[in-house]
Each structure stands twice: as C-alpha cells, then as structure tokens.
Amino acid sequence: MASAQLPSPIAHWFSRRGWAPRSHQLDMLEKARADEHALLIAPTGGGKTLGGFLPSLVELHETLGQGATNPRRKHALHTLYISPLKALSVDVARNLIQPVEEMGLGLRIETRTGDTSASKRQRQRAHPPDILLTTPEQLALFCATANAQSFLGDLKRIIIDEIHALAPQKRGDLLSLGMAALSRWAPNAQRVGLSATVADEQGLARWLVPQDEAETSSFASIVRGDAGARPDVEILDPDERIPWAGHSGRHALGDVYQRIRQARMTLVFVNTRSQAEATFQDLWHMNADNLPIALHHGSLAPEQRRKVEAAMARGALKAVVCTSTLDLGIDWGDVDLVIQMGAPKGSSRLMQRLGRANHRLDDPSRALLAPTNRFEHLECEAARDAVAANALDGEPLAAGALDVLAQHVMGRACGEPVDQDALFEEICRAAPYAEMDRETFDRIFEFSATGGYALQTYDRFRRMVRGKDGLWRARTPQIAQRHRMNVGTIVEAPMLDVVVSSRGRGGRRLGQIEEWFVEQLVPGDTFLFAGQVLKFQGIEEMAARVTRSSDPEPKIPSYQGGKFPLSTYLAERVRDMVQDPVRWGHLPEQVQEWLRIQQEKSELPRADGLLVETFPRNAKFYLVCYPFEGRLAHQTLGMLLTRRLERMRMRPMGFVANEYALSVWGLRDMSGLDLNALFAEDMMGDDLDAWLAESDLMKRTFRNCAVIAGLIERRFPGQEKTGRQVTFSTDLIYNVLREHEPDHVLMKAAWNDAASGLLDIRRLGKALERVQGRIRHVGLDRISPLAVPVMLEIGKEPVYGEAQESILEDASQDLIAEALA
Amino acid sequence: MIRQLEKSADQLSFELAGHRLFAHRSGALFVPEFDALIVSDLHFEKGSAYARSGQMLPPYDTRETLRRLGEVVEQIDPACVIALGDSFHDLDAAGRMSVEDRGGLKALVNARERWIWIEGNHDPEPPEDLGGEIHHELRLGNLVLRHEPEAGAARGEICGHLHPCAKVRGKGRAVRRFAFATNGDRLIMPAFGAYTGGLNVCDDAIVAVFGEVPSVMVLGREQVHAISPRQLVPDRYRTRTR
C-alpha cells in the first residue's frame, strides 16, 4: 500500500475518508526525500494543493511528532507558500488548515498579506508559524528588512502556486529575485511549483530553480498528475442572427439563460468588466424565474465580492457573471457549467476557466462558448480544437525587467547590507536574470544609488552608501522606510471609490472605478456599475458620489477594463481555418455564408500571406488588411502605416483596428501603391522610434517603470498628491530625459516594456517578416464582407493620429465662431 | 474677454488693461511697448531638490529650462527680460547649479540691457551674483507685475505662482496643457520650468482670483489656442448646486 510511506496520522486521515493518496502526491514526497526541486502539473481538482504541501506536513510531523503542540517548542518557519492572489492564500489556508487540524498535526499555519495587521506581523516575526502563506510583494518586503536571515534562515521549502501566471510578469521577476535572496539565507530550501496549465514546461522548470554560474541551465523535476477526463466543450449556435461586430453577446443571452436554468451552478466568464456589467444587467431583465444570479469583478468592493463568494460556497447561487477575478484556483462551490461569453483569447485561459467547473477529476467539465460576433466563432472554434489537442499557449518568458531589478537592488540595501559583487552573483541565479551582463547590472546599481545619470551631480544625495566594511546600505532609515512603502510591481491607474447614497452624506462603497472614466461624466450622467444603473452626482474627496437610477439603460454605455489580445497561437489556428473551406463544417451556417461571400467578392486571407483590400467609400479611400495579430499589434501597425502614407503624400486621415484587421483611410486612392514597399519591415526602425518617443503609450510605460524602479514614489491615501499630478510630472521628466540622456537605463527599461507589452512590437515584427513578398492585393469597388466588422468599429473606437492637437484646435475654432457670430 | 487680434505661428496677441500683449507658445509673454519679455516660475534646480530627499529625478531640468528660455529670448530678442518669481526652487538652488548652467544663465542675463528678478515665495532673496536687478514688484504702464496675485488687485495685474493649466474637453477624451489664464483685466502666467506641474484653472485657488473660471490661452505644440471657459473641465468634478 502506497500510504505506507505516510506517517500514521496522515495515512489515517486518508483512509478515514476512504481516499488513497494520488500517485503524484506520493511522487512529490519522493522528490522531496531525494532533495529535488519539483514542478507539479496537475489539473484543478486533482489534489494539487495537497500534493504541494504533503512533503512539508510529513517532514514537520517527522521532526516534531507529538511535540508539535508543545507551546514552548522552538518556532521556525518551515514552508513559505506564495500565490499571486491575496484571496488565494486565504482560501488555501482554509483548505489546508482544516485537513491539518483533522490530522491532529498541531501545526501553525498563517497568512501574511498587505491586509495583515502590524501587531500580527510582529508576532509572526517573533514566533514564526510552521507554514506561512503569502504573496510576492511580502517576500520583497522581507528582503528589504533587517534580520530577514534570522526569520527565513530555517526555511526548508518554498511553494509557488499558479506559477504559470506569475512567471511571465514583472511580479514573477520580483519573486524570482526574492527567491535568489532566499537561497542565500536558506541555501537548502527546496522549491516547488504548482500549476494546472503549463504551455512551456521546460521554461517554467528552469524559472523555478536557481541557475548555476555555469553555462548550462538547471531544471526542476516535473511531476504530472492524471490528466483527468477531457472537457466537454460546446459552441453555441444561436437561433438569432449573429452580429458582425461588437461584444455584447445579447443575441446569445436567451440560450445562455436557459442553460443557467438547467445547470446546478454556472460561472459565466466575460473578458471585460464592462461586459460583465452589461451581461449581468441583461440577464436580470430576462430573469423571469428570479434565479439567484450574482456579479463578481475586480472593481467591486472586497466586501461585495466576499459576499458573492460565500453565497457560492453555500450553494445559494445559480450563476455568477465574472471576469478573470475567478480564473485562478479558488474553489468556491459546486460549479457544473462554465459559460464563456466572447472568445477566450487563448487556449490556456480557456483551460483554466474550464477547470472551474466540476472539481471532481473523473467527470468531464462542461463548458459552453458563446461567441459575441462572427469572427469570434472562428476564434472559439480554434480554441476548442486547441483544448481537444491539449495544446496550450501562454505568455512567453522574457528576460527580467530592469526596473524590477532596480527595485530589488535598493530593497536588498534596505535590508541586510550587501556586497555589490556578491549581489551580482546572487541575481544571476534567478533564471530571468541569468544572462544579465555585469555592465547593465552596474548601471542599475548606480541607478539605485544616485539615479545613474551621465551628469554626476547627485553623489552627495546617494540613496545607498558604501560602508568601511565595503557593504552597501540605505543612507538613512527614512530612505529605507520610504522604499518599503513603494515595494511591488503593480502600478494602478488612479482609482476613485464609488459611493452610493440616497441623499447627501454617508453611503455605501460599491467598489472602485478608473478616474479617467469618471472625468468624462457630467453630473446627471448614468452608467452601469456593480450590476445597477447609477446616476453620477459629483466627486467629493476621493469618491465618486452616485445615486441609484430607475433608468433601464445607462446613458454612458460602458467603460473598458482588461482586454486580452488574441494569443499568437490561436491566431495561427484561426488563419489556418479561414483559408480552408473544408474546415468550416463546425461553424454556424451564418458564419460559413459570410466566408463564402468573402471568397466570392474578394479573396480569403491566406495563412502564409497578407490580404490587402482597397475600396472607395463616401468620398474616402480605404485600405484594409488582415494580419490576425491582435488589436495591439494592429494599432502599432496603423500608426506606422499612416506615417509612411503621409510621406507618400497619400493624405491618410485615420485608422481603426480590431483583433484581426486594420483599416486605414485617406483622401487619395491607395490601390496603386507598391504594397511590398508599404509593408516593408524597415518601418520598425526610425519611424517606430520617432512615433514611440512622442506617444502617450510610451509615457505611460515610462511612468510605470519610474514608479517600479523607485524614481517616482507611489501615492498613498491621505497624501495630497493625486495620481493625476504624478502622471503629469512623469511626462515632464520623460521629456527632459529623452532630450538630455536618451540612453539612460530607465529609458531602456521603458522601451523593452513597450516593445513586448502595449505595442506588441515583437509580434508585429514577426508578422511583417512572415508576409514579406506574400502580399495579395485585391482592388474592390465596394467594402468586402470580411471588412465589415472592422469598419463598424469606426466611431466606436478612438481614431488615432494627431487627435490631441485637434481637440485644442476644435475648441479654439468654436471660440472663433462664437466671436464672429 | 480675449479678443484675438492676429495669429502667428508662435504667439497669440491679446489685450490686457489697454496694452497689447503676445502669449508665446513657450509660456513666455511679450510686451512690445516696453520691449519686455516676461517668464514665470522657472524653478531652477527643482530636480536636485527632489534628489536631496531621495527621488533622483534627472538632473537636467535647469539645463532644459535654460535651453527653452534661451530659445525664446533669442527669437524675440527683447531689451528686457523679467522673471516673475520662483525662478529658483529654493534658497540654495543657485548654489547647486552646475558650473556650466551657472555660466549659461549669467551669459543669458548679461546679454540683455535689463534683467529683472521678481521675488517669489520660493526665492524671497534671489541670488545677487548672477547679474540683473531684484524687485518685489514692477510697474509697466497700466501693468503691475508681481509673483503672487493680490486680493482685490487693480486692473492690469500680471502674476505667476499658481501654474495654471487647462483641461479641454474633446470628443470622448480631454487634453490637459499649460495655459495663460485671464479675464481681460488680470493675467496669470503659466510656469516655465521644465519640472513644474500645473494647477487646473477650474481649481478654487484660481477661480478665487477671477471670481469665475477664466478664459485661457493654451500652449499647444505648434501654436497657442484661445479657449473659452465653457470648454474647460476640472480635474475632478465637485458637487455643485445646479
């Protein structure tokens, strides 16, 4: 019997439930005994969490035995569990503490997050728990505190949950650097990674473990759980007409409602908060049966969210409309159906969401995809194929961000004094920084100390100083304290509380909303939030005051939040599907017909090329192309194409992009252009630099880097400085730095971010390379079927170009008109 | 109200207390009658003041401010330059200037017939060794030049101190830029310094000066735009009785 490996209290616990430990759980035990780092890949519901903790429980029991309950035993932190979500560590505490109590192991398990009180923090330092559940930011704080070694020195195991979500982000960089520091203090601590969906297994296995100075990479051992039953994915083929564009999904809601009625409990996933609000509202309007349906998204007040979660756990709800806030592994209730409204944008995200249904491994999870427009049918079909083939995509692991390194360097100097050479060796053991060259590191180091400017005038204001012992430390305790207040890599857009009251003062906080959204509201405007139509009354202090409105429809249609780009991987599958009529069989007849007419009137885009259509319309000339590379890459392409068209004297006027196409228009006919020259890759050079330097996106990116790197401080509640003023002054700083030291390391950091993030430059570059010499031009006398969706975006999406200056000109023209009247 | 007399690429001409003035897109103000160019709130060495407290802003703000100032001075070539207070971010700002910037500033000052430093709250005692005269306030015809607006001041006051900027509402979005603020009687100059932030003209502090939201001349990239208060939005709405 395999359970023989387990100490009796744990073995008994399993057998009392009539369970046997799963083989991957025992494998994890074996890896731990062999002292190996391990990456556990197991589907949700497969006992992954217990698999991660089991070696710690066994080891703690073996060392402490019955002495565990002795209040006077020496306390030492044994296991550090790190997850991306605050809520997740609370949830795991619940799912772990109960079994551990039932096993009678007498262990202390505690959480530590940004919400943990100062007194509890102090107590944890004096009497560490056996297992501490926390977040990457808290680890960064430990690193930036004196005596980190005495607290963390006994550590035996580090568990990183949802590792696939953390590793590709800046938070992952910070975590990786924090783990490198842990390796110094507790060199023998084993590392364990947990994930349900992993695309790049080797990449994560490398990410997880310390890298040696040698040229070769080190990897964690991979342990796999049983795959579980194949999910059962259906794509909704609605009776109603499928819209050409838009993301409301209204046409499908009748069917969605019926499915909700039939299921035990349904999670309805949507991609944006505005979509969540709108879908929730529409479902309520058709809710003739008064089904208990709730709403859950990241902007709602935590109390509101906790209420919904509790109701789910009790089984009191029939459905929850939610965003990515419920993506990750919180197990709230007996969900038997997942509905995805709109395309999932990536197969990994879809898999993750499918995992929310049916946490029992052996039954297939059931999912319904409800595309919101015709193109999304293609995307959903591609995603279903990918899931069937168990083919995952994911954000690629990139080199570690420089701004995060700057924060970490300063943090280390705020903790125990550090040696510069030793710190370089230490950070090179973190996988994202393994290839870092010494020169860049030294520049970052100097940045943390003095700002690292060519004009060395700040030497006397250093933030870090080198002592007689050769070690670096924060110059003053105040500097260290200020650094600790600014730890973390999440830079929030300025937010305002939404407070509802019937009249005057007081009222209840519904959640938070982006300041820029509120700024465009005029008192009396109505909008959707927290599942209700609210009337904006004005702003007081840091809160948007609202009252409930009886209007059925909001006046201000939506606010956006969190749009995912189509993953490269799914895009490829979609391109393949579109070019090949044989593969259209699964698509609804309406969609097939749309593609057939496209084939007839124009051409189908080929997977290995680029289709470009030109046509006149309403005294303007349009050029529409179909790269299928996602909105971000298309916007960048649009920006670059219009610059080039400008130089060709084609008088371009604007462009709009959607997930698969880009439409540019102007005053001259573009059908005679040399398209290979127009789409030539060299547009990624000077044009890109010139445009980027001026763009708001770059300024925003710079601001984030400046905050993370510690150049600019975050704002805190009660501080006079508003988020708006921070934005403003970083723009000024960016302008000055660009003018006087364009090669500064922070400019480099911002450029790197922009290239991979907001602008998707890397992806665009690959696309241009792919289509070189394979551009097909079709000259039309009218719009093609495939062009309709992107053309419908005109007027809904902002048109890019010299929009800012023209706002001023328009406003000024109005004044002149008024003066002349 | 602003009457737009003529429009050139760089500046906008308007009248204040009977004088014809030119608002330059750099944020400087030209008074042709007295051949004087006015700039406000240069805030030299603001960057190093932040560095002293641990925020290592790029140490190029003084150089950048000097560069822009040099440019507009060269273009207009006035006999007299008037710096309308808060020229130096703090009392020892001049001491923190690099040798090069100091030299550049001295050369700029000495190349003019007159250079006048008006005292500001940040620099109640502007340095005396850089050249130029120091005044608390200055009269030019009907115009009174001082750093801070005075309560109940007469027609013709030109001041700085408040760093006005305007947020102009467009279709679906708004643009926020530095601006001259005026009601035709008084004028608040935009800040000229490279790191100086702005205060929305709808803010109480500026509304208090004019008794209402003022008209603005907004500094655009290529030109100065005259914009009426109706087009302006505050940074944050406040509850108002309607």
Side-chain angles (χ1 to χ4, degrees):
Chain A
M1 178 80 194
S3 311
Q5 293 184 34
L6 296 173
S8 57
I10 301 177
H12 283 148
W13 180 82
F14 274 105
S15 57
R16 264 204 309 278
R17 267 156 194 74
W19 295 349
R22 292 181 186 275
S23 68
H24 68 258
Q25 292 170 335
L26 296 174
D27 287 350
M28 289 302 284
L29 204 52
E30 206 173 292
K31 296 293 176 205
R33 287 189 168 136
D35 204 13
E36 289 175 29
H37 305 295
L39 171 61
L40 172 58
I41 303 168
T44 318
K48 176 165 44 99
T49 308
L50 192 54
F53 281 104
L54 194 60
S56 293
L57 301 185
V58 169
E59 202 174 291
L60 278 163
H61 179 72
E62 283 171 353
T63 358
L64 299 171
Q66 292 310 311
T69 46
N70 181 351
R72 279 184 301 190
R73 75 167 156 109
K74 177 182 173 289
H75 280 281
L77 184 61
H78 180 280
T79 294
L80 190 63
Y81 164 92
I82 296 172
S83 93
L85 295 178
K86 264 196 273 188
L88 192 53
S89 55
V90 175
D91 182 63
V92 168
R94 204 181 55 196
N95 290 336
L96 185 66
I97 288 167
Q98 197 188 346
V100 166
E101 272 175 8
E102 289 164 357
M103 290 171 193
L105 298 181
L107 303 178
R108 270 179 54 215
I109 301 170
E110 294 184 2
T111 59
R112 185 183 180 103
T113 70
D115 301 336
T116 304
S117 69
S119 60
K120 188 173 174 191
R121 283 162 186 272
Q122 271 182 349
R123 187 175 53 66
Q124 282 176 340
R125 280 207 158 244
H127 301 282
D130 298 299
I131 297 176
L132 183 66
L133 313 170
T134 188
T135 59
E137 289 70 27
Q138 295 300 316
L139 176 57
L141 271 177
F142 280 129
C143 291
T145 320
N147 309 320
Q149 180 152 20
S150 67
F151 183 70
L152 298 161
D154 299 308
L155 200 65
K156 299 289 185 299
R157 186 164 293 106
I158 308 159
I159 303 174
I160 313 292
D161 203 354
E162 307 284 4
I163 184 173
H164 68 284
L166 276 172
Q169 301 177 349
K170 286 193 178 183
R171 289 181 89 192
D173 292 341
L174 189 65
L175 173 56
S176 182
L177 290 166
M179 286 199 295
L182 281 179
S183 288
R184 173 177 300 272
W185 301 318
N188 298 321
Q190 288 169 12
R191 298 186 186 177
V192 170
L194 306 179
S195 180
T197 50
V198 175
D200 178 7
E201 291 185 355
Q202 287 306 310
L204 279 190
R206 176 174 179 270
W207 187 91
L208 181 61
V209 304
Q211 301 299 310
D212 295 326
E213 286 118 273
E215 293 290 297
T216 52
S217 292
S218 309
F219 298 90
S221 311
I222 294 177
V223 173
R224 260 175 255 275
D226 296 331
R230 278 281 157 79
D232 169 11
V233 182
E234 182 192 344
I235 297 175
L236 187 69
D237 185 357
D239 300 330
E240 309 261 335
R241 205 183 128 271
I242 304 168
W244 291 84
H247 298 279
S248 79
R250 263 191 192 157
H251 71 287
L253 280 179
D255 296 277
V256 165
Y257 182 73
Q258 290 311 318
R259 302 301 179 96
I260 290 174
R261 279 188 58 199
Q262 290 153 14
R264 198 162 55 234
M265 174 145 74
T266 307
L267 286 184
V268 183
F269 280 104
V270 298
N271 289 336
T272 65
R273 270 169 282 168
S274 57
Q275 223 176 338
E277 293 282 359
T279 302
F280 177 74
Q281 192 74 7
D282 290 343
L283 282 175
W284 261 111
H285 284 316
M286 61 176 66
N287 192 357
D289 308 285
N290 256 327
L291 302 179
I293 299 176
L295 176 67
H296 193 284
H297 65 66
S299 294
L300 296 179
E303 312 85 75
Q304 300 261 101
R305 275 184 273 162
R306 296 298 96 82
K307 254 194 215 164
V308 172
E309 288 155 9
M312 276 175 78
R314 282 201 311 274
L317 293 177
K318 196 73 179 160
V320 180
V321 179
C322 56
T323 60
S324 50
T325 47
L326 288 185
D327 269 7
L328 293 181
I330 305 176
D331 188 3
W332 292 117
D334 206 2
V335 177
D336 63 339
L337 176 64
V338 164
I339 296 178
Q340 164 73 40
M341 297 290 298
K345 298 296 167 197
S347 63
S348 291
R349 179 172 294 106
L350 179 57
M351 292 283 245
Q352 187 87 36
R353 289 180 170 180
L354 290 180
R356 301 293 96 219
N358 206 340
H359 273 213
R360 279 183 306 269
L361 191 60
D362 309 320
D363 299 332
S365 28
R366 281 199 306 133
L368 176 71
L369 307 184
T372 56
N373 59 49
R374 293 178 181 215
F375 180 71
E376 282 192 345
H377 267 280
L378 301 171
E379 270 187 72
C380 286
E381 201 60 50
R384 176 164 72 173
D385 289 354
V387 167
N390 205 19
L392 296 166
D393 48 20
E395 286 178 70
L397 294 170
L402 296 178
D403 51 353
V404 178
L405 180 61
Q407 183 183 110
H408 181 74
V409 165
M410 188 65 207
R412 293 285 275 110
C414 293
E416 307 191 358
V418 287
D419 175 74
Q420 188 170 354
D421 295 336
L423 185 57
F424 177 64
E425 276 172 34
E426 177 187 306
I427 68 112
C428 287
R429 291 169 67 76
Y433 297 92
E435 276 94 42
M436 168 130 298
D437 60 274
R438 181 62 195 249
E439 195 199 330
T440 309
F441 172 78
D442 286 345
R443 282 183 75 186
I444 289 291
F445 198 90
E446 190 55 35
F447 168 85
S448 294
T450 65
Y453 301 104
L455 189 68
Q456 293 168 2
T457 54
Y458 289 164
D459 206 47
R460 68 209 130 129
F461 307 134
R462 310 186 140 268
R463 297 163 77 213
M464 303 191 296
V465 290
R466 193 174 181 190
K468 290 202 178 80
D469 52 6
L471 302 180
W472 292 86
R473 38 176 72 73
R475 183 164 55 90
T476 65
Q478 288 76 22
I479 288 175
Q481 184 52 30
R482 282 171 75 164
H483 173 82
R484 286 192 285 268
M485 307 256 297
N486 282 281
V487 154
T489 62
I490 302 171
V491 183
E492 302 278 0
M495 302 285 270
L496 295 175
D497 283 348
V498 179
V499 176
V500 65
S501 54
S502 49
R503 191 170 283 273
R505 310 248 126 216
R508 199 159 60 87
R509 187 170 160 269
L510 290 179
Q512 288 203 309
I513 195 164
E514 281 87 352
E515 187 179 316
W516 65 259
F517 177 77
V518 179
E519 279 178 346
Q520 59 170 22
L521 300 178
V522 178
D525 279 353
T526 53
F527 64 102
L528 266 183
F529 189 80
Q532 16 191 332
V533 179
L534 300 174
K535 182 180 277 181
F536 179 64
Q537 299 295 349
I539 292 196
E540 274 174 45
E541 312 284 311
M542 287 295 287
R545 294 218 156 253
V546 298
T547 49
R548 292 208 169 78
S549 162
S550 51
D551 297 358
E553 292 283 327
K555 181 175 154 201
I556 307 296
S558 73
Y559 77 104
Q560 295 169 338
K563 263 187 190 169
F564 311 111
L566 177 64
S567 81
T568 318
Y569 178 77
L570 277 192
E572 226 168 86
R573 283 178 171 253
V574 169
R575 276 197 302 266
D576 284 346
M577 193 190 316
V578 169
Q579 71 168 7
D580 185 4
V582 178
R583 296 182 53 193
W584 299 350
H586 291 297
L587 298 171
E589 180 47 35
Q590 300 180 50
V591 176
Q592 292 192 37
E593 189 191 2
W594 173 50
L595 293 176
R596 268 198 305 274
I597 301 176
Q598 169 69 19
Q599 197 176 14
E600 209 173 285
K601 305 268 180 198
S602 173
E603 264 183 29
L604 293 171
R606 298 206 46 86
D608 60 353
L610 178 69
L611 173 66
V612 178
E613 295 170 338
T614 51
F615 52 86
R617 191 166 183 276
N618 291 345
K620 291 189 200 107
F621 292 92
Y622 289 81
L623 181 150
V624 179
C625 61
Y626 306 89
F628 294 87
E629 293 292 354
R631 190 184 297 267
L632 294 176
H634 294 164
Q635 279 171 0
T636 304
L637 177 62
M639 211 71 82
L640 296 175
L641 278 185
T642 41
R643 281 183 89 92
R644 187 165 271 184
L645 287 165
E646 191 102 37
R647 269 205 306 276
M648 294 172 159
R649 308 206 174 280
M650 299 308 294
R651 304 183 59 195
M653 293 170 67
F655 67 87
V656 289
N658 68 8
E659 287 286 62
Y660 68 109
L662 166 72
S663 169
V664 184
W665 62 90
L667 295 174
R668 297 234 168 107
D669 183 2
M670 293 174 270
S671 62
L673 292 176
D674 175 356
L675 292 179
N676 279 315
L678 182 62
F679 285 88
E681 278 176 271
D682 59 4
M683 78 169 80
M684 306 289 285
D686 293 350
D687 267 350
L688 183 61
D689 287 347
W691 163 65
L692 197 55
E694 291 286 326
S695 79
D696 281 353
L697 287 178
M698 190 66 186
K699 286 176 185 165
R700 216 183 314 153
T701 307
F702 177 81
R703 171 175 178 262
N704 287 356
C705 286
V707 170
I708 291 171
L711 184 70
I712 306 289
E713 291 179 359
R714 287 165 201 271
R715 71 164 158 165
F716 297 101
Q719 271 182 350
E720 192 181 353
K721 217 177 193 183
T722 68
R724 169 62 57 196
Q725 278 162 327
V726 170
T727 311
F728 202 57
S729 55
T730 45
D731 284 2
L732 298 177
I733 289 160
Y734 171 80
N735 290 339
V736 167
L737 194 55
R738 179 161 68 89
E739 182 73 31
H740 293 270
E741 198 175 336
D743 297 329
H744 188 260
V745 68
L746 206 57
M747 296 296 265
K748 188 174 168 187
W751 170 265
N752 289 350
D753 276 11
S756 59
L758 290 168
L759 307 173
D760 246 347
I761 289 168
R762 219 167 279 144
R763 187 162 171 189
L764 176 60
K766 278 192 185 147
L768 290 176
E769 193 184 318
R770 175 170 56 83
V771 304
Q772 269 324 286
R774 296 196 193 84
I775 296 177
R776 283 283 307 163
H777 173 236
V778 181
L780 301 169
D781 55 7
R782 67 176 64 176
I783 183 171
S784 75
L786 212 52
V788 169
V790 70
M791 298 285 288
L792 284 174
E793 301 269 345
I794 298 174
K796 285 189 204 148
E797 287 287 311
V799 171
Y800 294 86
E802 291 288 288
Q804 295 227 344
E805 290 295 309
S806 67
I807 286 174
L808 295 178
E809 261 164 47
D810 288 353
S812 160
Q813 291 302 325
D814 284 359
L815 184 70
I816 293 167
E818 183 188 320
L820 296 177
Chain B
M1 292 274 83
I2 308 159
R3 194 149 59 86
Q4 206 170 331
L5 297 176
E6 83 186 45
K7 213 168 178 179
S8 85
D10 286 335
Q11 41 197 324
L12 189 67
S13 148
F14 65 102
E15 266 185 30
L16 188 81
H19 293 275
R20 192 183 200 204
L21 308 177
F22 287 84
H24 191 270
R25 71 179 161 88
S26 65
L29 181 75
F30 183 51
V31 191
E33 255 171 275
F34 302 97
D35 201 7
L37 186 74
I38 308 172
V39 289
S40 190
D41 297 273
L42 299 170
H43 283 268
F44 286 131
E45 293 300 310
K46 183 173 176 177
S48 57
Y50 273 77
R52 195 163 46 183
S53 69
Q55 293 199 62
M56 302 292 171
L57 304 188
Y60 305 109
D61 57 319
T62 298
R63 184 162 301 181
E64 176 64 12
T65 306
L66 279 172
R67 185 185 71 77
R68 294 180 198 168
L69 185 56
E71 238 173 55
V72 60
V73 166
E74 189 183 334
Q75 189 196 341
I76 308 284
D77 195 23
C80 173
V81 172
I82 302 159
L84 203 55
D86 286 1
S87 308
F88 301 88
H89 189 70
D90 49 48
L91 286 174
D92 52 88
R96 292 197 307 272
M97 265 190 194
S98 69
V99 177
E100 208 183 339
D101 290 344
R102 234 181 128 76
L105 178 56
K106 268 187 169 168
L108 201 61
V109 170
N110 292 327
R112 294 297 118 194
E113 268 173 51
R114 275 184 91 183
W115 187 289
I116 294 161
W117 302 109
I118 302 278
E119 296 160 1
N121 54 312
H122 278 254
D123 55 350
E125 295 160 27
E128 291 175 0
D129 55 347
L130 291 166
E133 313 155 32
I134 298 170
H135 292 272
H136 182 65
E137 55 179 59
L138 193 75
R139 281 184 174 278
L140 297 176
N142 300 331
L143 305 175
V144 183
L145 279 55
R146 60 171 72 99
H147 179 65
E148 289 185 50
E150 261 177 23
R155 205 165 158 255
E157 181 188 70
I158 297 178
C159 62
H161 183 61
L162 290 167
H163 304 193
C165 74
K167 191 161 183 177
V168 182
R169 192 207 297 264
K171 294 181 192 79
R173 61 195 292 202
V175 183
R176 193 179 192 270
R177 295 284 171 83
F178 291 106
F180 293 85
T182 183
N183 60 355
D185 284 344
R186 305 167 76 182
L187 176 76
I188 309 179
M189 303 263 300
F192 196 93
Y195 283 172
T196 44
L199 180 70
N200 195 304
V201 294
C202 300
D203 192 275
D204 293 347
I206 292 181
V207 170
V209 173
F210 298 104
E212 60 186 344
V213 176
S215 289
V216 289
M217 288 166 280
V218 178
L219 310 185
R221 205 174 296 158
E222 307 288 337
Q223 62 187 62
V224 181
H225 305 271
I227 290 170
S228 97
R230 286 188 304 106
Q231 308 267 0
L232 304 181
V233 285
D235 285 345
R236 300 222 148 111
Y237 281 98
R238 280 164 212 291
T239 324
R240 290 206 197 98
T241 43
R242 281 149 56 94

